Amino acid sequence: MGTQGDGNHFLFVGISKNTGNTMMVTHHGSRAPGAALYDKGMKFANRFRQEISPETLRENAWIPYDTDEGKSYWEALQLIRQWTKENHTSLHDAVLNKLEMEKENRYWNEHNFVFKDGDLFYHAKGATPLDDKFMPDITGPRLIPLNMAEPVLIVQGKTNERNLGFAPHGAGRNFSRSQHKRSLAHKTTEEIFNEETAGLDIRFYSNEVDISELPSAYKSAKNVRAQIEEYGLCEVLDEVMPYGCIMAGDVQKNAPWKKKKKFGKA
């Protein structure tokens, strides 16, 4: 609790285009508790798959909701959802306390999560819920980060035949991490970083730049926005214009807490 994790998790700071207020956006998922629940859930799902439909691929295993295991798994997911929300809240509160500031507003949303509407379940990979029915603790509009050099979009919207009640959760990647790194092999990491983050305060918590998290690793933010408008996926209410961000980076490779502390003699 109270930590960001690694990889593409980030803390983004920017200015509201509408109001000029400073805004902070954090991005991370359910972390280790969510991963542990998923692993256990997949074991149960595979048992049902073997019994009900052994020809189904293991990756497509499921737990029938009308079983005790299905209902228990759904309830556990809601606990994970609550834990994740509290984790974000703890980070924001810590910053407010450190800066001795009061918040004016706060809202949040999940993405890449599973949502339920009656008897239908939506596995919203790469999607952010728009329809209020997917969020029982609705707090305000939704957030769509694009990349560290682009605004975070603040959006709202309703269900239509194109979006099924969801908006994109971000820009998505152009290539895999390894492909992207190979495509930039002719430049140094410093050159790539300086070119893509000019004018911004970008930091990596691991103290090592991960070029697979820089803007060129992601799809064109301009194209994503054009598609949102073309297909009526959601309505952009405001934009958080970027000042900078702290990316988690590869903390397994260079975790600050793994470094040996040097103790001086008294």
Side-chain angles (χ1 to χ4, degrees), residues 20-90:
N21 290 344
T22 299
M23 303 184 76
M24 185 178 91
V25 180
T26 51
H27 163 72
H28 65 258
S30 54
R31 310 285 312 291
L37 174 62
Y38 173 78
D39 288 342
K40 189 163 187 176
M42 283 303 294
K43 291 177 182 177
F44 277 95
N46 193 49
R47 294 177 194 172
F48 281 105
R49 178 191 68 84
Q50 291 173 329
E51 179 182 338
I52 300 172
S53 180
E55 68 277 9
T56 297
L57 293 175
R58 184 184 182 92
E59 293 80 3
N60 295 333
W62 77 99
I63 306 175
Y65 183 62
D66 58 0
T67 62
D68 290 341
E69 293 88 345
K71 290 181 173 60
S72 294
Y73 187 67
W74 176 253
E75 291 172 2
L77 282 172
Q78 304 320 298
L79 290 175
I80 289 295
R81 180 182 187 276
Q82 183 179 354
W83 184 93
T84 305
K85 183 179 181 181
E86 290 300 323
N87 199 37
H88 282 275
T89 299
S90 69

Side-chain angles (χ1 to χ4, degrees), residues 210-260:
D210 180 358
I211 62 172
S212 68
E213 288 301 333
L214 297 180
S216 63
Y218 290 87
K219 294 177 182 176
S220 163
K222 181 179 179 180
N223 289 346
V224 173
R225 295 193 61 167
Q227 290 168 353
I228 286 175
E229 184 174 348
E230 179 182 358
Y231 296 107
L233 300 179
C234 59
E235 175 190 359
V236 177
L237 300 176
D238 195 3
E239 301 174 45
V240 187
M241 310 307 292
Y243 173 81
C245 74
I246 302 173
M247 298 295 303
D250 188 355
V251 296
Q252 294 302 318
K253 183 178 180 182
N254 194 23
W257 57 86
K258 289 186 177 181
K259 295 179 181 178
K260 293 182 179 179

Side-chain angles (χ1 to χ4, degrees), residues 11-13 148 193 197-204 242-247:
L11 185 155
F12 176 102
V13 176
M148 62 176 66
F193 180 77
T197 65
L200 300 172
D201 185 348
I202 305 297
R203 311 180 190 190
F204 284 81
Y243 173 81
C245 74
I246 302 173
M247 298 295 303

Side-chain angles (χ1 to χ4, degrees), residues 141-152:
R142 315 297 192 257
L143 299 159
I144 303 180
L146 296 171
N147 66 57
M148 62 176 66
E150 295 288 340
V152 172

